């Protein structure tokens, strides 16, 4: 039987929005790093961003600043705070992956869509307005005072929606930020959008789609 959730909840950056931290870092460092070293730097920058969001909440500008500073130290590069500021300021300018607007439109008229995002309140409206489909609710890490993958971010969303794990379908391209925590919280209905960010991990129990256009079929639309 097809599961029809009360809400479809989404990771925003990476899943719906083309979150191009790698491109931003490449713009600044590719002239001084080899291709191999650049790939390592991008991986380190991403890994440090995960580490930075695991503690007490802090503004996302600090997450980017600290992660970039740590990546530079690890790769023996001079750290320039202006580069961290530029990368942070690019976040609201990024738009959706090409498949997202039409894919969301297929389901938005039947099921309320919700964004649960590791973002700031001043940033996210600029990303959401580019999606081309109505998002009924947007909950940020700033609202929750916690970043994913912390459970508190999801629990804040449940409280605001007045629902539980059994009521939602959660959609993400990331296991580490979303789907692992969703599993631990008892969200049994999950969709992994395979954008090549991470390898498959069937242990966590999900339906795999290659892009958001496949979501309508998952919910029987």
């Amino acid at each position: 039987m097809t599961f029809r959730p009360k809400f479809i909840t989404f990771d925003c950056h990476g899943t719906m929005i083309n979150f191009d931290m790698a491109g931003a870092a490449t713009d600044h460092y590719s002239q001084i790093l080899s291709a191999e070293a650049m790939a390592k730097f991008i991986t380190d920058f991403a890994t440090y961003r995960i580490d930075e969001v695991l503690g007490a909440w802090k503004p996302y500008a600090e997450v980017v600043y600290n992660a970039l500073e740590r990546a530079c130290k690890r790769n023996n590069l001079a750290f320039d705070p202006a580069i961290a500021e530029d990368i942070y300021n690019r976040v609201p300018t990024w738009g959706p992956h090409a498949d997202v607007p039409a894919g969301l439109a297929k389901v938005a008229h039947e099921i309320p869509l919700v964004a649960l995002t590791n973002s700031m309140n001043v940033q996210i409206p600029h990303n959401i307005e580019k999606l081309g489909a109505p998002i009924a609710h947007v909950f940020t890490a700033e609202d929750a005072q916690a970043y994913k993958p912390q459970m508190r971010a999801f629990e804040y969303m449940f409280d605001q929606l007045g629902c539980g794990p059994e009521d939602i379908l959660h959609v993400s391209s990331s296991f580490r930020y979303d789907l692992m925590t969703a599993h631990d919280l008892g969200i049994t209905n999950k969709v992994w959008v395979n954008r090549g960010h991470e390898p498959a991990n069937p242990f966590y129990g999900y339906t795999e789609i290659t892009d958001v256009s496949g979501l309508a079929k998952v919910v029987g639309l």
Side-chain angles (χ1 to χ4, degrees):
M1 182 179 295
T2 299
F3 174 64
R4 184 66 63 92
K6 291 182 179 178
F7 302 96
I8 303 177
T9 61
F10 291 85
D11 167 60
C12 189
H13 292 141
T15 301
M16 295 194 291
I17 297 296
N18 184 14
F19 191 61
D20 195 18
M21 284 286 182
T26 298
D27 287 346
H28 285 289
Y29 296 104
S30 62
Q31 298 303 310
I32 57 176
L33 292 174
S34 67
E36 182 179 0
M38 189 70 240
K40 179 181 181 299
F41 184 88
I42 288 169
T43 298
D44 291 341
F45 184 28
T47 301
Y48 283 128
R49 291 199 307 275
I50 293 175
D51 191 58
E52 285 290 329
V53 300
L54 295 178
W57 183 85
K58 57 192 171 229
Y60 195 65
E62 293 183 26
V63 171
V64 174
Y65 183 106
N66 294 347
L68 189 68
E69 184 177 34
R70 294 169 74 185
C72 286
K73 180 179 179 180
R74 186 170 183 177
N75 290 274
N76 299 311
L77 295 174
F79 171 66
D80 183 350
I83 294 178
E85 182 178 8
D86 175 72
I87 292 175
Y88 172 79
N89 288 335
R90 291 189 189 199
V91 174
T93 71
W94 292 330
H97 292 284
D99 55 280
V100 168
L104 295 180
K106 291 179 181 179
V107 296
H109 63 289
E110 293 288 345
I111 303 170
L113 309 183
V114 178
L116 179 63
T117 173
N118 278 1
S119 188
M120 299 289 291
N121 292 336
V122 298
Q123 290 180 310
I124 196 61
H126 302 283
N127 300 122
I128 294 295
E129 69 185 8
K130 296 178 177 70
L131 293 177
I135 306 298
H137 305 279
V138 179
F139 303 119
T140 68
E142 184 176 5
D143 293 330
Q145 292 290 286
Y147 289 100
K148 297 177 297 177
Q150 295 184 56
M151 288 184 175
R152 192 149 52 97
F154 287 86
E155 290 167 339
Y156 175 84
M157 178 180 69
F158 294 146
D159 289 344
Q160 296 303 305
L161 294 175
C163 72
E166 69 280 2
D167 297 317
I168 70 168
L169 175 69
H170 191 66
V171 182
S172 179
S173 61
S174 175
F175 291 97
R176 295 188 73 177
Y177 277 104
D178 283 82
L179 297 178
M180 291 180 179
T181 304
H183 172 272
D184 292 344
L185 281 169
I187 302 173
T188 58
N189 297 288
K190 300 180 290 295
V191 169
W192 177 46
V193 185
N194 184 357
R195 297 204 183 278
H197 301 156
E198 301 169 19
N201 195 331
F203 172 82
Y204 290 99
Y206 52 84
T207 298
E208 178 180 346
I209 59 178
T210 56
D211 59 57
V212 174
S213 66
L215 186 58
K217 183 177 179 180
V218 174
V219 295
L221 296 175

